[in-house]
Structures are given as structure tokens and as C-alpha cells.
């Protein structure tokens, strides 16, 4: 299964991505996670991404596209992958289409998690993230997955959330029409329990030809 998840920040893409990747036995490729891991490790890529991430802006396409192109050549992505947080604009969607066309391995589906603005802000401002595994946590002092220490991401603070939402509306939301036109889009609501949304996602993906 070659799958892309799309949705506003806070829609629960990362959480659902973990479940879906485990279900379909494909790697979960999150560009945000790769950037954060590079930041933590102090690599040049992390340095390049930092100022954009801190402001809630997109890291330039030249940097992001190369990173994804390289990641898709890894052995574990041979039989499919789940992209979370990429593409984030139409230019990236076109680059992804071309990379996959060259390998003759087009996408099977793009799953959209739909969520209203008020719910997004409420979720992001109460979200905490685990320093160890990167997993989300709401209203807990410790990570529910690994027990690690949780913190508020710099970009989950109020002014940056506002900018991330603007960036989503202006730059990312147009990819929904792009994928609808390509007949790849499947939309589900991001409201409900984690389990209910995973079930909805799985049943929506059952009808996708692989
Ligand atoms: P995320 O964890 O997906 O919310 O991503 C966190 C931040 O990483 C974003 O606000 C961007 O600054 C950067 N980022 C992640 N994915 C991309 C992408 N596809 N293109 C550009 N920047 C990205």
C-alpha cells in the first residue's frame, strides 16, 4: 500500500499513521519527525529546518523534496509506505507524483482527516509531545506510550499555531483538490475516538485496489 495522509495540524494524523502503518506493514514516514530527529541530533539538515519550523513555516521544497526522495529509496519502502506530513503543497505533490511515476509505483490512495478550525486550535494548544518517542499526549504528565517526559512543541504555542493554520489553508489545502482530481482522495472525519477513526480509515481503505 502506498498511502498519503493529509489533514490540518492536530487532526491526529501521526497517531493514525502509527496504527495504519502497523496494520499494512509499511513504514510510517513523517517529514516532521525526520526534521525533529535531525534537530535533536544537531545535523546540518536540522539546522536548515529549524528557523522555518519555529515560525510554523514550511521548510523550503528543495530541502524537503530531496529528503523524501532519499527516504523512499530505503529498502523498507520497497513494498509500500505511509507518508505523513508530505506533500504539504501542490509543488511537492507534483514532485512526489513524478518520483513515483519514474519507478512505476503510483499512489494507491490519499486519506484526508477533516477537522474544523476551532477544534484544531483546542487540540494543538493542549497537546504535549514525548521527548523520547515523539508520541502525542493530552492532559498527562508522562507519555502514555513509553512513560517518557512530555513537553510543549515550540510550534504548538498559540502564535505559531495560528501561522501553521494559515499555512495549511493557503499552501496545503489545495492538494486536496489536486488529489480529488487524480481520483485518489478519500475523506473521513477526524472527530471521534482514536479507535473509531482507525476503524473508519481501515474500512475506507478496504476498497482501494492495490
Ligand atoms: P509536523 O510534525 O508534520 O506538524 O511538521 C512540523 C514542521 O516541520 C512543519 O510546521 C514544517 O515547518 C516542517 N515540515 C514538515 N513537513 C514538511 C513538508 N512536507 N514541507 C515543508 N515543511 C515541512
Amino acid at each position: 500500500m502506498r498511502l498519503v495522509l493529509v489533514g490540518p495540524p492536530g487532526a491526529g494524523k501521526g497517531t493514525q499513521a502509527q496504527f495504519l502503518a502497523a496494520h499494512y506493514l509499511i513504514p510510517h514516514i513523517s517529514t516532521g519527525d525526520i526534521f525533529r530527529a535531525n534537530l535533536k541530533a544537531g545535523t546540518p539538515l536540522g539546522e536548515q529546518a529549524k528557523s522555518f519550523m519555529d515560525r510554523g513555516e514550511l521548510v523550503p521544497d528543495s530541502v524537503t523534496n530531496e529528503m523524501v526522495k532519499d527516504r523512499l529509496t530505503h529498502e523498507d519502502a520497497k513494498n509500500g509506505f505511509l507518508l505523513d506530513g508530505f506533500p504539504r503543497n501542490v509543488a511537492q505533490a507534483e514532485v512526489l507524483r513524478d518520483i513515483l511515476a519514474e519507478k512505476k509505483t503510483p499512489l494507491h490512495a490519499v486519506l484526508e482527516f477533516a477537522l474544523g478550525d476551532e477544534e484544531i486550535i483546542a487540540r494543538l494548544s493542549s497537546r504535549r509531545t514525548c521527548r523520547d518517542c515523539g508520541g502525542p499526549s493530552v492532559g498527562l504528565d508522562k507519555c502514555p506510550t513509553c512513560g517518557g517526559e512530555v513537553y510543549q512543541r515550540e510550534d504548538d504555542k498559540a502564535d505559531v499555531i495560528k501561522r501553521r493554520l494559515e499555512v495549511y489553508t493557503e499552501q496545503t489545502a489545495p492538494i486536496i483538490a489536486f488529489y480529488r482530481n487524480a481520483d485518489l482522495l478519500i475523506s473521513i472525519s477526524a472527530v471521534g475516538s482514536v479507535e473509531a477513526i482507525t476503524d473508519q480509515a481501515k474500512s475506507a481503505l478496504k476498497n482501494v485496489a492495490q
Side-chain angles (χ1 to χ4, degrees):
M1 172 78 84
R2 289 181 292 276
L3 185 62
V4 164
L5 301 192
V6 188
K13 288 191 304 296
T15 304
Q16 294 300 331
Q18 287 180 12
F19 289 118
L20 294 173
H23 180 73
Y24 293 108
L25 303 174
I26 47 178
H28 168 203
I29 302 177
S30 155
T31 41
D33 283 353
I34 302 176
F35 284 133
R36 278 185 291 279
N38 276 276
L39 257 176
K40 202 171 164 186
T43 69
L45 178 65
E47 280 294 302
Q48 268 180 303
K50 184 176 174 9
S51 66
F52 298 97
M53 294 177 78
D54 284 350
R55 285 180 285 128
E57 301 290 342
L58 296 186
V59 177
D61 287 352
S62 53
V63 175
T64 310
N65 290 337
E66 276 312 304
M67 181 176 91
V68 171
K69 196 170 179 180
D70 172 71
R71 180 63 185 85
L72 291 177
T73 64
H74 292 196
E75 189 61 28
D76 66 347
K78 259 201 161 143
N79 294 317
F81 52 78
L82 185 159
L83 279 169
D84 160 19
F86 183 94
R88 269 242 207 346
N89 60 30
V90 171
Q92 292 182 3
E94 288 170 345
V95 166
L96 178 64
R97 180 193 57 199
D98 295 347
I99 294 172
L100 297 178
E102 204 172 296
K103 300 187 204 215
K104 299 196 170 38
T105 55
L107 288 175
H108 294 111
V110 174
L111 187 60
E112 180 199 3
F113 294 91
L115 192 68
D117 274 9
E118 274 178 30
E119 179 72 18
I120 298 170
I121 294 172
R123 286 191 190 188
L124 288 181
S125 43
S126 60
R127 176 167 78 174
R128 299 293 179 271
T129 301
C130 177
R131 278 196 201 284
D132 295 334
C133 75
S137 141
V138 176
L140 298 169
D141 293 339
K142 296 254 176 248
C143 171
T145 310
C146 75
E149 185 196 352
V150 298
Y151 74 109
Q152 182 171 40
R153 274 169 49 174
E154 220 29 69
D155 60 353
D156 279 346
K157 296 189 175 157
D159 50 336
V160 186
I161 291 176
K162 191 168 160 281
R163 183 61 195 144
R164 286 168 70 202
L165 270 179
E166 286 167 3
V167 167
Y168 181 79
T169 306
E170 289 161 14
Q171 302 183 46
T172 308
I175 71 173
I176 291 172
F178 175 91
Y179 284 128
R180 189 180 293 119
N181 292 337
D183 223 7
L184 286 169
L185 191 75
I186 300 172
S187 287
I188 63 171
S189 164
V191 181
S193 70
V194 170
E195 296 77 17
I197 297 169
T198 310
D199 286 346
Q200 244 188 299
K202 281 188 205 159
S203 67
L205 291 170
K206 262 201 188 116
N207 302 322
V208 170
Q210 284 185 61

